[in-house]
Amino acid sequence: MAEEACSHECGSCGVSGCGDRTENAGPTTLETNKRTTIKNVIGVVSGKGGVGKSLVTSLLASEMNKRGYKVAILDADVTGPSIPKSFGIGKTLRADEDGIIPAESDSGIKVMSVNLMLPQDDLPVAWRGPVVSGAIRQFWQEVSWGDIDYMFVDMPPGTSDVFLTVFQSLPVDGIVTVSAPQELVAMIVGKAVNLAHSLEVPVIGLVENMAYFKCDECGKEHHIFGEPQGAAVAEKYGIPSVATLPMDPKFARLVDEGKVEAYNVEGALDGIIDQIEVTAAMAEATA
């Protein structure tokens, strides 16, 4: 049987007898494009799909942008990319002699996603793990990002190849994990958190999405998926900051319209963003 293409990630590879293997290989940080300076990298992760990870990525980037930072999103969910649609970005990519030029949202958030490279948004990306990992490295190394204060990496669900590629190849300063108020989801969040800890990556905060639905008429909050568990999960895993987001039809409408930047989170993510700034300051102080 033909061997898979080498991902060059010896630290996570189980293939023995490889002539290219580097003994005791661990995390390595890839170089960026010569027109790129990225100060802080924040991964947004979830243990399973369907909990709103890409939405949270978009909202965090938008809120950081509103604070005056230069922000970018690397869409690492290669087989299920949704970031360009959320921001209404449909233009094709351009390139010059120095590299690929990322797309930009209306407010100036820079975006790189595989969907920007496809002739149609609905074409499938049926790639094996090493090819997906290679695309992530290309997004990091060959894109002319410019000066970026915060890059958010929208991760695919789970803890497989792409998770290891990002955490072992990119200088990730911390992660924000996304969950929903269900015991099963909380358990799977724990898997992602524990893997981040094993890779010595700080867990900055937990966003519990779809935590409640607020009735327009009576104003009462209804817990459609059960009682919120974010605070308990954060305490269990030592996560410093927690935020909750409601089930809000405006989310779906604005994302469908490509206007996610227009959503007002009304301060719900301030604690997470404050903690991101603290983590960035600590990383800079110890650099």
Side-chain angles (χ1 to χ4, degrees), residues 31-33 98-101 137-144:
E31 295 293 329
T32 58
N33 176 284
D98 292 324
I100 302 168
I101 300 171
R137 289 192 291 270
Q138 182 181 21
F139 290 171
W140 177 261
Q141 293 184 292
E142 298 182 22
V143 174
S144 297

Side-chain angles (χ1 to χ4, degrees), residues 14 19 26 44 53 66-67 71 84-85 92 121 126 136 141 146 165 181 207 228 253 259 271 273 276:
V44 183
K53 170 187 50 59
K66 291 172 185 175
R67 291 195 180 194
V71 180
K85 180 173 178 59
T92 55
D121 288 346
I136 303 303
Q141 293 184 292
T165 295
V207 178
R253 177 173 59 81
K259 299 178 180 178
I273 293 173
I276 290 174

Side-chain angles (χ1 to χ4, degrees), residues 9-12 22-27 168:
E9 294 165 11
C10 301
S12 61
T22 301
E23 293 300 326
N24 301 318
Q168 294 189 321

Side-chain angles (χ1 to χ4, degrees), residues 231-247:
V233 173
E235 182 178 1
K236 179 178 180 179
Y237 294 106
I239 302 172
S241 185
V242 182
T244 59
L245 293 175
M247 296 180 65

Side-chain angles (χ1 to χ4, degrees), residues 39-42 60 63-71 149-150 152 173-176 204-205 240-241 269-285:
K39 295 179 182 177
N40 304 284
V41 179
I42 307 298
L60 286 172
E63 292 302 304
M64 273 295 190
N65 186 56
K66 291 172 185 175
R67 291 195 180 194
Y69 293 110
K70 297 176 181 177
V71 180
D149 296 314
Y150 289 95
F152 291 91
D173 296 290
I175 68 167
V176 174
I204 294 170
S241 185
L269 295 174
D270 284 355
I272 298 282
I273 293 173
D274 290 344
Q275 191 64 41
I276 290 174
E277 291 177 325
V278 169
T279 301
M282 292 175 62
E284 183 177 352

